[in-house]
Amino acid sequence: MVEIDALDALDQLIWKRSGVAAAKAVKMHQSTVSRKTREVLQLLGLQMVQRAGEWDLEGCHDFIRLERQLHQLHRLKSGAPLRLEGVFWWQPVLATPPAGWCTGVFDHLGLVRAHQLLRQRVVDAWLIAPPDHPEEDDPDLAVVPLATMPVRLVVGKSHPLADERGVTFRDVHRFPTLALPAGLLPKTEKRLQELGLWNSPVRMQFYDHDSWQGQCHDQATINYGSGLSLAQQPHLTTLDLPLNFHSGDALVVHRDLVSSPRIELLVRHLRGCLQRLIQHQHGFRLAAI
């Protein structure tokens, strides 16, 4: 068996991308993280490679898959901190992590990395925004809905449409509307494109405020928001145009964890956060338990 602190060091490095962040998470010196990481790689016959800013492993994954499953079970049963990652708008809400959890970087875009780290059990739970989530028949991952709410168009307060009533799509189509790189959020992308939106791509590898909400400072660009993301943008305002498109928040976990008491406690905590912070937003609905 790989030592608990050694695999923790390796997986924190993969998750957080940074030796400094990994060392802080596992309360070791950075050189110790590097040494323990090398030990695990050598023991399991693996190599670390970096692709598009993310660390990954090359080699036969059979043994590390079993080790990670065992270590995840140990975290669940021993009370050791579980690992929670999510979309950017949860970062300020979870600045103080829920009891029994440690949190991540909150800057991942899209689904690919989320699904990968969940399937590999590097991360234990991930907060995502429907409708982009694993399919119901996914063999590994289960979705626990938390809340639904309408998506709104968001602009700077000096935008020409900011104070208009009865805004139409014809009005909106005069302005650029932000779009993430193709394929990151395929269902959201498809729906917004059907509405004539999602037409001004941003170059963003990881979430960056200035590259997303900050684009509205030009008082022309239109963004999107719902729920917690709207609550954190007091400098912006919503347009008077219903999109008839709903998003929200959900938690994704490995199927064999979904009934764990610690996951259930986390779900109750997150639902409480949502109810406390955005219960007065129009169209907000907590998911049924």
Coordinates of all heavy atoms in Angstrom, one line a residue, residues 9 18 23 34 37 42 75 84 86 106 111 120 128-129 141 143 161 185 189 221 226 246 262 272-273 277 285:
A9 N 0.2 13.8 -1.2 CA 1.0 14.8 -1.8 C 0.9 14.8 -3.3 O 0.8 15.8 -4.0 CB 2.5 14.6 -1.4
S18 N 0.2 23.1 -8.4 CA 1.3 23.9 -7.9 C 1.9 23.2 -6.7 O 1.2 22.7 -5.8 CB 0.9 25.3 -7.5 OG 1.7 25.9 -6.5
A23 N 2.0 21.7 -1.0 CA 2.7 21.7 0.2 C 1.8 22.3 1.3 O 1.8 21.8 2.5 CB 4.0 22.5 0.1
S34 N 7.8 17.0 -3.2 CA 8.5 16.5 -4.4 C 9.0 15.1 -4.2 O 8.9 14.3 -5.1 CB 9.6 17.5 -4.8 OG 9.0 18.8 -5.2
T37 N 6.2 12.5 -4.0 CA 5.7 12.3 -5.3 C 6.5 11.4 -6.1 O 6.0 10.5 -6.8 CB 5.5 13.7 -6.0 OG1 4.5 14.5 -5.3 CG2 5.0 13.5 -7.4
Q42 N 7.7 6.2 -8.7 CA 8.7 5.1 -8.9 C 8.1 3.8 -8.5 O 8.2 2.8 -9.2 CB 10.0 5.4 -8.2 CG 11.1 4.3 -8.4 CD 12.3 4.7 -7.6 OE1 12.4 5.7 -6.9 NE2 13.4 3.9 -7.9
R75 N -10.5 8.1 3.7 CA -10.9 9.4 4.0 C -12.3 9.4 4.6 O -12.7 10.1 5.5 CB -10.8 10.4 2.8 CG -9.4 10.7 2.4 CD -9.3 11.8 1.4 NE -10.0 11.6 0.1 CZ -9.4 10.9 -0.9 NH1 -8.1 10.5 -0.8 NH2 -10.0 10.8 -2.0
L84 N -13.2 18.9 -2.1 CA -14.3 19.5 -2.8 C -13.8 20.6 -3.8 O -13.0 21.4 -3.4 CB -15.2 20.2 -1.8 CG -16.4 21.0 -2.3 CD1 -17.4 20.1 -3.1 CD2 -17.1 21.7 -1.2
G86 N -15.1 23.1 -7.4 CA -16.4 23.6 -8.0 C -16.2 24.8 -8.9 O -15.1 25.3 -9.1
F106 N -11.1 26.3 -7.8 CA -12.3 27.0 -8.3 C -12.1 27.8 -9.6 O -12.7 28.9 -9.8 CB -12.9 27.9 -7.2 CG -13.4 27.2 -6.0 CD1 -12.6 27.0 -4.9 CD2 -14.7 26.6 -6.0 CE1 -13.1 26.3 -3.8 CE2 -15.1 25.9 -4.9 CZ -14.4 25.8 -3.8
L111 N -16.1 20.5 -18.4 CA -16.4 19.3 -17.8 C -15.3 18.2 -17.8 O -15.2 17.3 -17.0 CB -17.6 18.6 -18.4 CG -18.9 19.5 -18.5 CD1 -20.0 18.7 -19.3 CD2 -19.4 19.8 -17.1
Q120 N -11.1 9.4 -11.3 CA -9.8 8.9 -10.8 C -9.8 9.0 -9.2 O -8.8 8.5 -8.6 CB -8.7 9.7 -11.4 CG -8.5 9.5 -12.9 CD -7.4 10.4 -13.4 OE1 -6.8 11.2 -12.8 NE2 -7.1 10.1 -14.7
I128 N -21.1 21.8 -9.9 CA -21.2 22.1 -11.3 C -22.5 22.9 -11.5 O -23.3 23.0 -10.7 CB -21.1 20.9 -12.2 CG1 -22.1 19.8 -11.8 CG2 -19.7 20.2 -12.1 CD1 -23.4 19.9 -12.5
A129 N -22.6 23.3 -12.8 CA -23.8 24.1 -13.2 C -24.6 23.4 -14.2 O -24.1 23.2 -15.4 CB -23.4 25.5 -13.7
L141 N -20.3 8.3 -12.3 CA -20.7 9.5 -11.6 C -22.2 9.7 -11.5 O -22.9 9.4 -12.4 CB -20.1 10.7 -12.4 CG -18.6 10.7 -12.7 CD1 -18.1 11.9 -13.5 CD2 -17.8 10.5 -11.4
V143 N -25.2 12.6 -10.1 CA -25.5 14.0 -9.9 C -26.5 14.2 -8.8 O -27.6 13.5 -8.8 CB -26.0 14.6 -11.2 CG1 -26.3 16.1 -11.0 CG2 -25.0 14.4 -12.4
L161 N -28.6 49.2 -22.8 CA -29.9 48.5 -22.5 C -30.1 48.3 -21.0 O -31.2 47.8 -20.6 CB -29.8 47.1 -23.1 CG -29.7 47.0 -24.7 CD1 -29.6 45.6 -25.1 CD2 -30.8 47.8 -25.4
L185 N -18.8 23.7 -22.4 CA -20.1 23.6 -21.8 C -21.1 23.3 -23.0 O -21.8 24.2 -23.3 CB -20.5 24.8 -21.0 CG -19.6 25.1 -19.8 CD1 -20.0 26.5 -19.2 CD2 -19.7 24.0 -18.7
E189 N -23.8 26.0 -24.3 CA -23.4 26.6 -25.6 C -24.5 26.5 -26.6 O -24.9 27.4 -27.3 CB -22.1 26.0 -26.1 CG -21.6 26.5 -27.4 CD -20.3 25.7 -27.8 OE1 -19.7 25.1 -27.0 OE2 -20.0 25.8 -29.0
T221 N -20.3 44.7 -23.9 CA -20.4 43.3 -23.8 C -21.5 42.8 -22.9 O -21.6 43.3 -21.8 CB -19.0 42.7 -23.4 OG1 -18.1 43.2 -24.4 CG2 -19.0 41.2 -23.4
S226 N -26.5 33.6 -13.0 CA -27.7 33.0 -12.3 C -27.2 32.7 -10.8 O -26.0 32.6 -10.6 CB -28.1 31.7 -12.9 OG -27.1 30.7 -12.8
H246 N -32.9 27.6 -17.9 CA -32.5 27.4 -16.5 C -31.2 26.7 -16.3 O -30.8 25.9 -17.1 CB -33.6 26.6 -15.8 CG -34.8 27.4 -15.5 ND1 -35.7 27.9 -16.4 CD2 -35.3 27.9 -14.3 CE1 -36.7 28.6 -15.9 NE2 -36.4 28.6 -14.6
R262 N -21.4 11.4 5.0 CA -20.6 12.7 4.8 C -21.0 13.5 3.6 O -21.0 14.7 3.6 CB -19.1 12.4 4.9 CG -18.7 11.8 6.2 CD -17.2 11.6 6.3 NE -16.4 12.9 6.2 CZ -15.1 13.0 6.1 NH1 -14.4 11.9 6.1 NH2 -14.5 14.2 6.1
G272 N -28.2 24.8 2.4 CA -28.4 25.9 3.3 C -27.7 27.2 2.8 O -28.3 28.3 3.0
C273 N -26.5 27.0 2.3 CA -25.8 28.2 1.7 C -26.7 28.9 0.6 O -26.8 30.1 0.6 CB -24.5 27.8 1.1 SG -23.2 27.3 2.3
L277 N -28.4 32.7 0.7 CA -27.8 33.7 -0.1 C -28.6 34.2 -1.2 O -28.6 35.3 -1.7 CB -26.4 33.2 -0.6 CG -25.4 33.0 0.5 CD1 -24.1 32.4 -0.1 CD2 -25.0 34.4 1.2
R285 N -35.3 27.8 -7.0 CA -36.0 26.7 -6.4 C -35.0 25.7 -5.9 O -34.1 25.3 -6.6 CB -36.8 26.0 -7.5 CG -38.0 26.8 -8.1 CD -39.1 26.9 -7.1 NE -40.3 27.6 -7.7 CZ -40.4 28.9 -7.8 NH1 -39.5 29.7 -7.2 NH2 -41.5 29.4 -8.3

